[in-house]
Amino acid sequence: MKRIGITGGMGCGKSTVLNEFRALGVPCFVSDIVAARYYCEPDFLDGLRTLLGDSVFLDQYTVDKRAVAERVFADTALLEGLNALVHPRVLGDFDCFCRQHSAAPYVLFESAILYDYGFDRLMDGVICVYLDLEERLHRLRLRDGADTETLMSRIRRQMPSEEIMCRADHVVLNYEGTPRRRQVQYIDQIIRK
Ligand code: ADP
């Protein structure tokens, strides 16, 4: 079974494209959704408390995620600390997911930061979903209701989409009017071979 990464900057349409692969029966592992569950796990919360202190907790078991983001994005060492808590768990859970789906020809691992943290080295191939910055901002303003400045501060932390596209093995162009489903079907067939 192959492990295929799927990545792209925020707002390019990863979730939308992932749904197309899901419709073809491909098992999809979404890192962000899996990682969000850790915030309910006592041992993870203990690690978070050791790293960031009580100030990021609303009560004993409830994390103020906005406070966590503010702290870690202002301090590289704290961001590394948080990554050290989250990333090994995500990779361990992905291993379990792969074992559960060992009969599938391939599984997808979705992560916006696949290349930033070298997860691509654990994959047999990578798909990039691409959209230019202006169009991403347009869609994100609609999706998240956030202003351009806020969105840009998040986007600047990620690898530029053009670099992601150059490094990937397959690219899905997600412009309105481009045949997304056909691109997905084509890539699916290539990977299955
Ligand atoms: P990501 O997961 O990469 O952050 P999403 O899949 O959430 O991106 O897509 C961002 C927004 O753009 C969503 O609101 C989605 O509905 C919309 N969107 C995705 N693909 C298209 C498309 N081809 N045409 C128009 N809107 C799209």
Side-chain angles (χ1 to χ4, degrees), residues 7-20 30 32 110 112 129 131 135-136 138-144 158 173-178 180:
T7 188
M10 56 186 277
C12 63
K14 290 179 300 300
S15 311
T16 310
V17 169
L18 208 66
N19 281 337
E20 301 273 7
V30 183
D32 279 356
E110 194 224 288
V129 182
L131 199 62
E135 189 59 31
R136 285 164 64 202
H138 172 67
R139 290 184 190 176
L140 286 170
R141 279 192 294 259
L142 290 176
R143 189 190 73 179
D144 300 347
Q158 300 181 342
L173 293 179
N174 189 26
Y175 289 96
E176 231 174 309
T178 51
R180 191 178 58 223

